[in-house]
Amino acid sequence: QQQVKQSPQSLIVQKGGISIINCAYENTAFDYFPWYQQFPGKGPALLIAIRPDVSEKKEGRFTISFNKSAKQFSLHIMDSQPGDSATYFCAATRGANNFNKFYFGSGTKLNVKP
Amino acid sequence: NAGVTQTPKFRVLKTGQSMTLLCAQDMNHEYMYWYRQDPGMGLRLIHYSVGEGTTAKGEVPDGYNVSRLKKQNFLLGLESAAPSQTSVYFCASSRQGRVSYEQYFGPGTRLTVT
């Protein structure tokens, strides 16, 4: 059973547009929800993360929206740029209670067209 | 400070051959992980280690073995490679404790089994 479900599988956005990627989870014990960004041929790198005690976290053009009651969280990329073209993974973990083991979504390949 | 490094970067094996992938981290992290990444399936945890001399199974451990003889190194072994093990393998590390659950990833090893 997939612990974290991610959609869409791929996304095409025009430069300057808003990119939105959604994730849903089942386990209410999860207490840390990161988003990772991966460029071709590279390893994933942490982009932004949120804990369930807040509903939104913003870092520059990247925002996580978190809905605890719906067990959903999403990544919004404002003013999307061609340099944002990458694969994005959401994840969830029970953190220190489970040795920081992550459950990853299946990934979203974002293509920002100039 | 190199972070997480992996060797080799690429490898082609014939069915039935064996090999070892090496992961090294210089951040003094307690936790280390091995993932495989396949198209449309995200990152799946193979094995992990919570300290020197300890290892545990993840989601997809069959066909793999691991060892952590030194804190900074985590080895992934394939005793008898199969075409189904064709994948990109990533190593990651994480510090113990509740301050940060971030996992730091290596650049990956692309393995093809023919």
Side-chain angles (χ1 to χ4, degrees):
Chain A
Q1 182 187 0
Q2 197 172 10
Q3 299 263 1
V4 178
K5 295 182 180 178
Q6 182 173 346
S7 63
Q9 191 171 3
S10 63
L11 184 61
I12 299 174
V13 173
Q14 291 294 323
K15 179 182 175 182
I18 302 173
S19 304
I20 302 174
I21 305 170
N22 301 300
C23 285
Y25 65 96
E26 288 297 324
N27 191 339
T28 55
F30 288 146
D31 64 355
Y32 177 78
F33 300 88
W35 284 91
Y36 276 75
Q37 181 187 54
Q38 184 182 30
F39 293 106
K42 304 291 185 183
L46 180 66
L47 181 64
I48 186 172
I50 197 167
R51 293 183 189 253
D53 52 346
V54 296
S55 59
E56 186 176 280
K57 183 172 182 181
K58 185 175 181 179
E59 291 183 2
R61 296 184 294 108
F62 301 92
T63 300
I64 299 179
S65 297
F66 187 81
N67 186 330
K68 192 172 181 177
S69 61
K71 293 187 284 186
Q72 295 175 347
F73 60 109
S74 59
L75 176 69
H76 296 238
I77 306 174
M78 310 299 288
D79 187 26
S80 298
Q81 299 297 311
D84 297 329
S85 296
T87 299
Y88 293 82
F89 294 96
C90 62
T93 179
R94 289 193 283 133
N97 293 325
N98 201 28
F99 308 113
N100 300 355
K101 284 194 296 180
F102 283 4
Y103 297 92
F104 282 92
S106 54
T108 296
K109 188 170 185 179
L110 172 65
N111 184 7
V112 181
K113 291 198 172 294
Chain B
N1 192 336
V4 180
T5 58
Q6 294 182 233
T7 53
K9 287 184 168 43
F10 303 93
R11 187 72 187 268
V12 178
L13 286 179
K14 294 187 189 304
T15 298
Q17 287 184 321
S18 63
M19 79 163 294
T20 301
L21 282 66
L22 172 64
C23 175
Q25 53 97 2
D26 61 4
M27 296 174 283
N28 201 34
H29 286 168
E30 289 291 335
Y31 301 157
M32 295 187 74
Y33 314 85
W34 276 108
Y35 293 91
R36 59 177 290 171
Q37 183 177 27
D38 303 293
M41 303 193 73
L43 293 118
R44 293 182 292 168
L45 184 64
I46 303 171
H47 286 282
Y48 65 100
S49 168
V50 302
E52 184 178 315
T54 71
T55 62
K57 294 180 180 180
E59 298 173 70
V60 289
D62 294 344
Y64 305 96
N65 57 75
V66 288
S67 64
R68 185 133 178 237
L69 300 180
K70 293 183 179 180
K71 185 177 183 179
Q72 64 267 34
N73 295 338
F74 194 28
L75 277 63
L76 177 71
L78 286 72
E79 291 185 344
S80 180
S84 61
Q85 294 177 304
T86 293
S87 187
V88 182
Y89 292 85
F90 288 99
C91 176
S93 70
S94 175
R95 62 171 59 91
Q96 188 180 14
R98 298 179 183 273
V99 175
S100 172
Y101 301 148
E102 180 179 356
Q103 289 189 16
Y104 296 80
F105 283 81
T109 295
R110 183 173 293 275
L111 175 66
T112 302
V113 183
T114 62

